[in-house]
């Protein structure tokens, strides 16, 4: 593959992802607009579409391995070719294990996000502003870094609406 061809592939993937993130953000904003208040505490788990994404990846990896075993003659090339679906099966299985551990919990006073690689817990009274963009729910707490929750949970609109209703904007000129 030439340099310009790989550049086209990268550009196509980036454009597709930007449209996907915009669609997820629009859907979450629409859900948040019509979300009804829920009794706290509430906990949100991984969305079914995300779990199905990993399941499809595992099935396709195993089908690829079965096709290689059935269609290729036994040789060192076949053993090397089997590495590719095994590697993808490993990655999707690991992704499934990692992502199913993710949770968002909102109580009367706290919001917590738990993940294998990062988590946070912060009081709802510190939230100044909440919005969605780029596939994330962004929480501004008045610090240089903002807290983000990926939009891969069942009920993203309810998470966004609940956090927006609990936000306490700071008057200009004041610091927390």
């Amino acid at each position: 593959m030439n340099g310009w061809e790989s550049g086209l592939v990268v550009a196509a993937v980036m454009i597709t992802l930007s449209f996907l993130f915009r669609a997820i953000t629009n859907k979450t904003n629409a859900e948040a607009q019509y979300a009804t208040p829920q009794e706290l505490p509430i906990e949100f788990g991984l969305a079914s579409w995300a779990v199905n994404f990993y399941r499809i990846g595992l099935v396709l990896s195993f089908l690829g391995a079965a096709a290689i075993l059935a269609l290729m003659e036994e040789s060192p090339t076949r053993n090397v070719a089997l590495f590719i679906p095994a590697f993808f099966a490993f990655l999707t299985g690991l992704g499934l294990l990692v992502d199913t551990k993710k949770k968002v919990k909102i109580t009367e006073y706290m919001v917590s996000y738990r993940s294998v690689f990062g988590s946070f817990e912060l009081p709802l009274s510190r939230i100044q502003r909440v919005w969605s963009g780029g596939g994330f729910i962004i929480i501004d707490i008045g610090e240089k870094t903002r807290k983000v929750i990926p939009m891969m949970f069942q009920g993203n609109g309810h998470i966004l609406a609940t956090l927006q209703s609990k936000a306490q904007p700071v008057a200009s000129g004041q610091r927390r």
Side-chain angles (χ1 to χ4, degrees):
M1 187 180 291
N2 292 334
W4 67 272
E5 291 171 337
S6 60
L8 283 176
V9 169
V10 169
V13 168
M14 290 177 63
I15 290 170
T16 303
L17 286 176
S18 68
F19 283 129
L20 177 66
F21 289 151
R22 173 58 35 207
I24 291 171
T25 301
N26 289 343
K27 183 178 183 231
T28 299
N29 288 335
E31 287 176 3
Q33 186 176 4
Y34 299 108
T36 58
Q38 294 184 339
E39 191 173 317
L40 298 178
I42 50 178
E43 188 171 297
F44 299 92
L46 194 63
S48 59
W49 65 264
V51 174
N52 289 336
F53 173 79
Y54 288 115
R55 288 178 182 159
I56 289 170
L58 283 173
V59 167
L60 290 177
S61 296
F62 290 129
L63 287 176
I68 289 170
L69 288 173
L71 300 175
M72 287 184 77
E73 296 178 6
E74 191 169 329
S75 69
T77 306
R78 178 173 133 180
N79 295 337
V80 171
L82 275 173
F83 174 76
I84 295 170
F87 179 70
F88 282 109
F90 170 75
L91 287 180
T92 54
L94 184 64
L96 183 62
L97 288 174
V98 167
D99 280 350
T100 54
K101 304 285 184 208
K102 292 181 179 181
K103 300 269 187 246
V104 173
K105 186 174 183 178
I106 302 173
T107 65
E108 192 66 39
Y109 304 104
M110 301 287 275
V111 59
S112 63
Y113 167 69
R114 300 265 183 248
S115 173
V116 172
F117 298 113
S119 61
F120 64 83
E121 190 172 276
L122 52 100
L124 294 176
S125 61
R126 289 190 59 203
I127 297 175
Q128 295 178 4
R129 190 171 151 226
V130 179
W131 69 96
S132 62
F136 294 97
I137 296 173
I138 303 156
I139 304 170
D140 184 6
I141 55 174
E143 295 177 0
K144 197 172 206 175
T145 58
R146 297 178 173 132
K147 305 295 183 187
V148 294
I149 299 172
M151 289 188 204
M152 59 188 322
F153 294 98
Q154 200 71 32
N156 288 323
H158 288 289
I159 296 172
L160 181 62
T162 303
L163 293 177
Q164 283 176 337
S165 70
K166 301 293 183 181
Q168 300 172 359
V170 174
S172 58
Q174 288 183 338
R175 291 247 180 222
R176 283 199 176 194

